[in-house]
Amino acid sequence: MNEFILKNNLDYQISNWQGGKTTEVYIYPNDANYKKRDFDFRFSYASLEINESKFTLLNAYNRILIPTKNDLKLVDNSQFYDLKKGEAFYFKGSDDVKSIGTSEDVNLMYNSKWIADMRLLQLPE
């Protein structure tokens, strides 16, 4: 049986991170807590408000990040990536990743026991 959970954007949890703000849209299980690292997956969107920021380390998790406002340069363990707006970037939460440039993104963090995919869809007008 599938369960649907309808949330109003007033229900989203907003917090600060080193590079800007993050808005938690959904976390599973529902009683999980991001700070306790007891979640299976977490979907959020975030702002990258400073020109250079280091992503939070999340051991035992994988991540998918998609910039939604501007292209973004990422440095993952000393390797450079030019990420286009709307393009997904997959990395381990334990990787040393920093961003260069300002943007906004959607972000999926998921326990490494899972397999996940995320992409933006272009819907017809």
Side-chain angles (χ1 to χ4, degrees):
M1 181 172 117
N2 291 329
E3 178 181 344
F4 289 94
I5 296 171
L6 182 61
K7 282 185 152 185
N8 182 306
N9 62 353
L10 298 176
D11 297 328
Y12 299 163
Q13 292 193 22
I14 301 171
S15 57
N16 293 316
W17 73 284
Q18 186 243 353
K21 295 197 181 312
T22 180
T23 301
E24 181 179 287
V25 176
Y26 186 72
I27 193 165
Y28 179 83
N30 294 324
D31 60 349
N33 184 296
Y34 171 74
K35 289 183 180 179
K36 291 181 181 178
R37 305 295 195 257
D38 64 354
F39 61 95
D40 279 347
F41 66 86
R42 178 183 187 259
F43 177 75
S44 62
Y45 61 89
S47 60
L48 301 158
E49 299 174 8
I50 59 176
N51 193 49
E52 190 170 306
S53 53
K54 187 172 179 174
F55 291 172
T56 304
L57 290 176
L58 293 167
N59 295 327
Y61 289 91
N62 291 320
R63 297 177 70 169
I64 307 170
L65 179 135
I66 301 175
T68 58
K69 189 173 183 182
N70 300 318
D71 295 349
L72 196 59
K73 183 179 290 281
L74 295 179
V75 183
D76 182 1
N77 295 320
S78 300
Q79 190 162 351
F80 288 82
Y81 298 91
D82 289 315
L83 195 58
K84 302 292 182 202
K85 175 182 162 183
E87 183 178 29
F89 184 74
Y90 297 73
F91 61 102
K92 292 181 180 177
S94 60
D95 284 354
D96 180 23
V97 177
K98 72 176 178 179
S99 63
I100 301 170
T102 59
S103 187
E104 294 174 358
D105 66 54
V106 291
N107 194 345
L108 180 64
M109 305 168 185
Y110 58 98
N111 191 299
S112 58
K113 69 182 179 184
W114 295 97
I115 297 172
D117 189 24
M118 183 171 69
R119 62 188 81 178
L120 296 180
L121 299 176
Q122 183 70 35
L123 299 176
E125 299 194 28

